[in-house]
Amino acid sequence: TAHLDVNLARLYFRKFNDKNVKADILLRKNDISINSIKLNHAEGTLQMKAELLPSGNTTPFKMNVDVAHVNVQQLFTAFENFGQEAIEEKNIRGTLSASINMNGSLQNGGLAPYSLNGNCDFHLVNGALVNFEPLEKVGKIVFRRRNLSNITFKKISNDLQVQGSKIYIKPMAIE
């Protein structure tokens, strides 16, 4: 068993780049507990607790993440669009706060496909969908005289349910 109190001046992983990362990590024979990771990222803060249970080629995990006032475009860039292709960093703007409870598996240094399960309660303020192809296609058919290439909104809030390859989105009000 090893208990680590980690202070990193710089952390790089693929497109993720951050400064002054603080973590409290417990390494045991059969698992890893991340008691806390705190960092300032994308103009806001991220805090996380996680448990990793390495087994063979995959590493199942459970995590709780609190995101506060983060630039959503920078967040999507750093996390490579979270492995999805629906909304990418080039299409989204705004300030994101969220509470995330997920479990899944890591494989080959990244997220195992379709392994995420859990929920994400989020609030996106002063946001925009920019050059989002599905909206632009609808605009050409339904709203011919409207430009849907830059849709702005004051606030969107919702609780997303993630189950593997599916994301369930409850009805939500958009200002």
Side-chain angles (χ1 to χ4, degrees), residues 73-158:
Q73 184 179 23
Q74 292 174 18
L75 185 72
F76 270 56
T77 299
F79 287 94
E80 299 174 351
N81 298 311
F82 299 95
Q84 56 86 40
E85 297 174 357
I87 297 177
E88 298 178 334
E89 80 275 356
K90 65 184 179 186
N91 304 116
I92 192 159
R93 307 288 184 276
T95 302
L96 177 72
S97 293
S99 177
I100 303 159
N101 297 302
M102 291 281 169
N103 60 58
S105 291
L106 299 174
Q107 186 176 41
N108 299 325
L111 187 62
Y114 312 114
S115 69
L116 279 181
N117 289 288
N119 70 308
C120 173
D121 181 18
F122 76 92
H123 307 277
L124 183 63
V125 296
N126 300 322
L129 285 174
V130 180
N131 300 319
F132 186 52
E133 189 175 342
L135 275 178
E136 290 177 331
K137 285 181 180 179
V138 168
K140 289 178 183 175
I141 297 168
V142 180
F143 303 108
R144 293 183 184 180
R145 295 190 179 145
R146 302 268 180 162
N147 179 1
L148 296 184
S149 63
N150 187 20
I151 304 293
T152 60
F153 47 87
K154 185 155 181 88
K155 180 180 178 183
I156 291 180
S157 299
N158 208 338

Side-chain angles (χ1 to χ4, degrees), residues 24-36:
D24 178 9
I25 302 170
L26 184 60
L27 305 173
R28 292 184 292 254
K29 182 177 179 180
N30 296 320
D31 68 338
I32 300 168
S33 291
I34 301 171
N35 298 322
S36 72

Side-chain angles (χ1 to χ4, degrees), residues 1-21:
T1 301
H3 183 229
L4 306 173
D5 185 19
V6 179
N7 291 300
L8 299 172
R10 276 251 194 252
L11 176 64
Y12 293 102
F13 181 74
R14 295 184 182 168
K15 293 184 178 182
F16 185 88
N17 176 8
D18 213 336
K19 299 176 186 174
N20 301 323
V21 178

